[in-house]
Amino acid sequence: MKNKIILLLHLMLLLPTWGFGQNAAVKLSAYKKGDKQIEVFQSYMGGGGYITGIVQDHQNSDVLYARSDVAGVFKSIDGGKSWQLKNSGLDKMSDNYCHSLAMDPFDNNVLLRASGDVRNFKFIGRLHRSVDGGESWQLVKDNLDYYGNGPTRTYGELIAFNPDREGEVAVGSFSEGVWLSEDKGLTWRYGGLKGERMGSVQFHADKIYLSTIADAYVHARTDDAGRINGQLHAIQDFRRDNQASIYVSEDRGYSWNVLYANPDLPAICEMIVMDQGETILFISTTGVYRSDNGGKSFAPIPQLPVESYYRTLTQSPIDSAVMFTAATVATKDGSIPIYQSKDKGLTWQLISVGCQPDNLSTFPDWHGTDPNMIADSRISHIQPDNADPDKLYISNWWGVTITDDLGKNYQGNYFDGIGIICCEALLQHPSRPNQILAGICDHAPMLSENNAESFAIIPARHGPARIVCLSKFNPNLMLYTAQTKREKGKLYRSMDGGQTASFVWQLKNMNYIQDIKEDPIREGRFWLYLEGDAESEYNPSIYVSDDFGATWDEAVSNPFAAQNSVPLNEFKIDNDLNPIVNYQYKNGCGTGQLLTLDNFRSDVIYAGEWTSGLFRSMDGGKSWQNIAETLPFDEDKNQVLQLVYADPYREGVVYAGFWNSGLWKSDDFGDTWRRIAFNDIFNYNISSMSINRDTKGNEMLVVACSNHPLGEHDTALWISEDNGRSWLDVYDYSIGCSRFISVISDVVHQRIYTATAGNGVFYFDLQPK
């Protein structure tokens, strides 16, 4: 047993008193399912990931679209001050990983988006089309490959409409070649270049220009990102051994010629082509390059620093001689590294010299007014306004920032609707049902005091808050983590509902808190599920606290004693199957669902391990038994355990939810199991479940199911009001294809709360017809 961790805390019994915004939730959809009239809302928390591109409506400058690496497409109708999701009609999780977005220059209602992901070394990609300004999307081409959250996600657009010929579109893919359309994207023909890794596509003077990326950049970047050792190259991409090049087609994509190639450049990214092709600029990992001889030769622009690569190069729609770019490293004097050229890229100047905190306003508290939050936040795109020459829209890691005085001042508009929010967990307070607590993988916990209509980060701002836990015995107690696997891990305790928090437990190396649960019978006792391996400071095991989480001891015996690590198959669980961002440890993975306790019989504990079994203790952790003999564990088929859930109203009833093998139920503490059918369908990816009962005995059981590239099952939100005898799926793809992380059933309010990976918190209001 490890040494006991002891920390003296100053206890405070204060109710939370900080103010919450008055902004209301956003209504996303309304529809009927069975006998239910359903309205779906997105909480005023927002959603999003890395905002990797912006497109402005050429007819209405107040309308903009933004693409995200994990959350799909957002639309603003008020000049970027607020944003709403626009993913209606998408039915695969990978459709949210938007790699490129473009608008038809002849019809501002027509848009195309390219999306895709990679899992288990396989790429997925599809093209969708909208004819109503992004309000709905229809599939027009599949069997492509895109990498919306990969290393080339900020490299400019892979979709280009011909501004000189109505209906003509060229689309590059990640490696499946070029595809052409002559009917605004309805039908497609292959245009060659299969096997090239493409960075950007554009039309100029009725020619198509296409840039490519060599192996060196992709693999150097993934090495720097610290992904899993020994498998980097195979995970991210196959080798092509091609050099970075610029291709050009003069016959609408029927043939291609190499305009320029450079074996010393790892990537040619976003381009500007002008003057009938005589002037060309491109960005790379080593600066910005310019040609004034039609691409025969390029020279780096000496005024722009070369110690960091560039992610954006754009041209003003008002004055074609005006261009903008941004470096990824702040300048030596701390200026925001956004540069402007007024002479077609010949000379460049910083536009935000000496930017100070007073020059930043209306940013969320977690962002603040530090100019470095803009300077060092991976600026991915600069969109010059098409009506105001002094106005720029800037997308980065956090959201969309606006300057309307050419870089003197910046406004964040509180990242209304678009701030980076990937949820990890969702809890309803056991004695204050209007309070909903969300664990967030990029911030401290966020708390709602109005039934999830709006959320605010708790004042005790330690994060990322992967795990959160509330107490029914002490309503002001909150336990939560601030942890990133392989980097840091701390457990915090708040005795005043999140106003303040004290540090409880420091974790190192591979230790990671997977779950924390309050003992439903013994006041003051909490249980903790700790992951780890041989390099970890503490054993991967179950831990217990008898003083409201102040000190922790390892349980008498360890259910995982026979394993050398938890997870046993770390690559599959932590890097491939569970994360919202593939091959990143514990990123939007849905923690907090593998530890549960029987609500009626003391000392009955269940602890699940994804691929090796479900363990039960009937004596408070003194001994464990693997009760998974008849459960469908099969990691080769990606049939892995996702949740263990004890029925809060029935002794001995416990559920086990699997990826690729549905939901299983036991009425005898896990001795025997039977599979649950949802209207005669068994095979779903079970993401989360919740059971709630009101004082009159009315009950609602909710099971959330997600789509995934390694489990191509429908997204669903099943409810049962008769203890599982009949089911109704209340989900509809009019809100897109969200990946559910956590779900809460609230029968009193006839509401279902869902935490998503990338889209914040949705809630579904159920009303009879």
Side-chain angles (χ1 to χ4, degrees):
M1 182 180 298
K2 300 292 183 179
N3 292 330
K4 179 180 288 189
I5 304 95
I6 301 175
L7 182 68
L8 298 178
L9 302 173
H10 298 288
L11 304 183
M12 300 172 62
L13 298 177
L14 301 175
L15 292 176
T17 58
W18 65 91
F20 282 74
Q22 299 302 308
N23 301 69
V26 175
K27 185 175 180 179
L28 297 179
S29 185
Y31 51 86
K32 294 179 181 180
K33 282 290 187 79
D35 63 347
K36 303 291 184 182
Q37 178 67 44
I38 301 155
E39 292 183 333
V40 187
F41 295 83
Q42 185 182 33
S43 299
Y44 188 76
M45 168 196 276
Y50 187 5
I51 307 303
T52 50
I54 306 172
V55 174
Q56 187 173 31
D57 191 317
H58 46 80
Q59 296 184 21
N60 184 348
S61 60
D62 284 336
V63 175
L64 298 105
Y65 301 85
R67 61 178 171 94
S68 164
D69 61 349
V70 297
V73 169
F74 298 81
K75 182 177 182 178
S76 174
I77 59 174
D78 57 6
K81 295 177 181 177
S82 65
W83 299 83
Q84 290 188 22
L85 286 173
K86 296 298 174 184
N87 292 329
S88 177
L90 306 179
D91 59 2
K92 291 185 181 296
M93 170 185 145
S94 57
D95 294 336
N96 291 324
Y97 298 71
C98 191
H99 196 150
S100 186
L101 178 68
M103 176 182 289
D104 189 332
F106 295 92
D107 186 346
N108 63 339
N109 287 312
V110 174
L111 297 104
L112 287 169
R113 64 192 283 176
S115 309
D117 192 19
V118 54
R119 303 280 168 154
N120 195 29
F121 313 107
K122 295 180 181 178
F123 285 77
I124 301 166
R126 310 206 296 176
L127 289 174
H128 287 84
R129 182 175 184 263
S130 175
V131 296
D132 53 11
E135 296 300 317
S136 61
W137 299 88
Q138 298 79 40
L139 179 67
V140 291
K141 182 78 179 77
D142 59 5
N143 297 319
L144 296 175
D145 60 345
Y146 291 105
Y147 200 2
N149 65 1
T152 64
R153 58 191 166 183
T154 61
Y155 274 14
E157 302 298 346
L158 291 174
I159 305 172
F161 285 86
N162 189 343
D164 300 317
R165 192 191 301 270
E166 185 171 3
E168 191 167 301
V169 194
V171 171
S173 62
F174 197 70
S175 70
E176 293 296 324
V178 184
W179 294 81
L180 291 306
S181 174
E182 297 177 0
D183 53 11
K184 299 187 176 185
L186 276 173
T187 60
W188 298 88
R189 64 174 172 85
Y190 175 61
L193 298 183
K194 181 179 175 64
E196 284 284 6
R197 188 189 295 105
M198 299 177 191
S200 65
V201 180
Q202 66 178 274
F203 281 89
H204 180 73
D206 219 23
K207 299 178 184 178
I208 309 172
Y209 292 82
L210 184 150
S211 68
T212 69
I213 304 156
D215 293 323
Y217 177 76
V218 175
H219 299 304
R221 290 289 300 125
T222 52
D223 287 343
D224 290 342
R227 305 293 203 307
I228 193 165
N229 293 331
Q231 295 175 311
L232 289 170
H233 297 166
I235 289 171
Q236 297 289 2
D237 201 3
F238 56 89
R239 286 197 172 276
R240 293 175 175 78
D241 295 322
N242 294 340
Q243 55 190 333
S245 306
I246 298 175
Y247 286 89
V248 64
S249 174
E250 300 184 27
D251 56 5
R252 301 164 66 190
Y254 284 97
S255 63
W256 296 88
N257 296 309
V258 176
L259 179 67
Y260 175 78
N262 189 334
D264 297 323
L265 281 179
I268 296 178
C269 309
E270 199 162 21
M271 299 183 293
I272 291 175
V273 184
M274 57 194 309
D275 299 335
Q276 301 299 306
E278 287 302 305
T279 303
I280 304 175
L281 290 91
F282 67 77
I283 53 175
S284 186
T285 57
T286 55
V288 181
Y289 293 74
R290 187 178 186 275
S291 172
D292 58 7
N293 58 10
K296 295 181 178 66
S297 63
F298 285 83
I301 295 171
Q303 291 174 295
L304 296 175
V306 298
E307 63 267 19
S308 179
Y309 60 93
Y310 293 74
R311 283 186 164 100
T312 182
L313 177 67
T314 55
Q315 189 175 24
S316 168
I318 298 174
D319 182 350
S320 61
V322 176
M323 303 174 184
F324 297 90
T325 191
T328 56
V329 173
T331 61
K332 294 180 180 179
D333 64 357
S335 299
I336 295 174
I338 298 177
Y339 298 85
Q340 180 192 36
S341 173
K342 299 179 181 180
D343 53 11
K344 299 184 180 181
L346 282 169
T347 61
W348 295 80
Q349 302 82 33
L350 281 167
I351 68 170
S352 296
V353 177
C355 190
Q356 299 296 316
D358 289 346
N359 300 116
L360 274 66
S361 63
T362 64
F363 285 91
D365 289 343
W366 50 262
H367 182 285
T369 57
D370 181 358
N372 286 325
M373 290 294 284
I374 300 176
D376 292 332
S377 59
R378 311 180 197 178
I379 294 173
S380 58
H381 186 71
I382 300 170
Q383 179 61 47
D385 190 78
N386 58 23
D388 182 349
D390 293 331
K391 190 172 188 178
L392 303 175
Y393 300 92
I394 301 157
S395 63
N396 60 21
W397 186 257
W398 306 115
V400 175
T401 297
I402 302 173
T403 174
D404 53 18
D405 54 11
L406 211 58
K408 295 181 178 65
N409 296 283
Y410 293 88
Q411 301 85 42
N413 297 292
Y414 302 105
F415 296 139
D416 188 347
I418 202 171
I420 182 167
I421 300 291
C422 284
C423 293
E424 294 278 9
L426 200 65
L427 297 177
Q428 187 172 36
H429 198 290
S431 59
R432 300 172 186 156
N434 64 313
Q435 288 190 354
I436 309 293
L437 184 67
I440 309 294
C441 71
D442 297 293
H443 308 297
M446 300 185 78
L447 180 66
S448 171
E449 294 189 305
N450 54 15
N451 300 104
E453 289 188 16
S454 62
F455 283 80
I457 288 180
I458 64 172
R461 292 176 186 161
H462 307 286
R466 312 285 186 172
I467 292 295
V468 291
C469 183
L470 297 167
S471 172
K472 73 174 182 177
F473 293 110
N474 187 340
N476 297 315
L477 174 63
M478 180 187 299
L479 294 170
Y480 68 96
T481 63
Q483 58 181 350
T484 301
K485 193 168 186 180
R486 291 184 180 270
E487 294 180 17
K488 63 179 181 179
K490 290 185 177 181
L491 176 62
Y492 287 89
R493 186 175 78 152
S494 173
M495 301 299 291
D496 53 16
Q499 287 277 1
T500 62
S502 298
F503 163 71
V504 174
W505 193 358
Q506 172 75 56
L507 302 172
K508 298 178 181 179
N509 300 327
M510 293 299 292
N511 278 139
Y512 183 92
I513 298 174
Q514 167 59 220
D515 204 349
I516 305 173
K517 291 292 194 303
E518 183 180 39
D519 192 301
I521 298 173
R522 297 191 183 185
E523 183 174 354
R525 175 170 285 187
F526 285 78
W527 299 87
L528 183 149
Y529 184 139
L530 188 66
E531 297 180 19
D533 61 12
E535 299 178 4
S536 303
E537 182 178 3
Y538 298 98
N539 290 329
S541 185
I542 304 300
Y543 290 74
V544 61
S545 170
D546 283 316
D547 52 9
F548 291 96
T551 63
W552 295 86
D553 287 307
E554 186 177 349
V556 174
S557 66
N558 185 353
F560 315 121
Q563 300 181 191
N564 56 17
S565 68
V566 176
L568 186 60
N569 187 334
E570 185 187 19
F571 173 76
K572 179 180 288 291
I573 301 305
D574 282 0
N575 299 81
D576 204 10
L577 186 66
N578 280 341
I580 183 66
V581 178
N582 58 325
Y583 312 117
Q584 289 188 4
Y585 292 106
K586 301 295 184 187
N587 186 299
C589 59
T591 49
Q593 299 190 127
L594 289 177
L595 180 68
T596 191
L597 292 91
D598 192 274
N599 279 264
F600 298 92
R601 185 178 298 189
S602 181
D603 292 333
V604 176
I605 312 165
Y606 304 91
E609 205 283 330
W610 295 265
T611 61
S612 65
L614 173 54
F615 302 89
R616 180 190 66 192
S617 174
M618 304 290 285
D619 53 13
K622 295 177 182 177
S623 62
W624 298 87
Q625 178 186 0
N626 193 340
I627 55 174
E629 182 177 355
T630 60
L631 290 174
F633 286 89
D634 189 338
E635 62 179 290
D636 292 336
K637 297 179 180 178
N638 296 313
Q639 293 177 191
V640 301
L641 187 67
Q642 286 292 108
L643 66 87
V644 184
Y645 184 83
D647 190 315
Y649 306 104
R650 298 172 180 88
E651 182 177 355
V653 176
V654 62
Y655 294 86
F658 283 81
W659 219 247
N660 282 306
S661 196
L663 186 66
W664 295 70
K665 181 180 180 180
S666 172
D667 296 307
D668 53 12
F669 297 95
D671 286 336
T672 61
W673 296 89
R674 69 180 187 276
R675 199 175 188 184
I676 303 297
F678 301 95
N679 295 353
D680 298 324
I681 304 174
F682 288 94
N683 210 12
Y684 278 97
N685 297 324
I686 306 299
S687 294
S688 185
M689 70 176 295
S690 175
I691 305 175
N692 183 239
R693 182 187 291 176
D694 65 15
T695 56
K696 298 179 180 179
N698 299 309
E699 190 171 289
M700 182 164 62
L701 192 161
V702 180
V703 178
C705 307
S706 296
N707 175 264
H708 192 279
L710 301 183
E712 286 290 4
H713 306 295
D714 291 342
T715 298
L717 198 59
W718 292 101
I719 67 169
S720 175
E721 297 174 303
D722 55 11
N723 194 27
R725 289 186 292 275
S726 63
W727 297 87
L728 174 67
D729 180 11
V730 297
Y731 188 77
D732 188 270
Y733 285 113
S734 61
I735 63 171
C737 185
S738 296
R739 181 174 176 187
F740 295 125
I741 297 297
S742 186
V743 67
I744 297 172
S745 169
D746 186 342
V747 70
V748 174
H749 295 96
Q750 282 291 288
R751 179 172 286 185
I752 302 169
Y753 305 96
T754 63
T756 72
N759 295 138
V761 172
F762 293 162
Y763 61 84
F764 295 70
D765 280 343
L766 316 176
Q767 300 296 333
K769 291 183 180 179

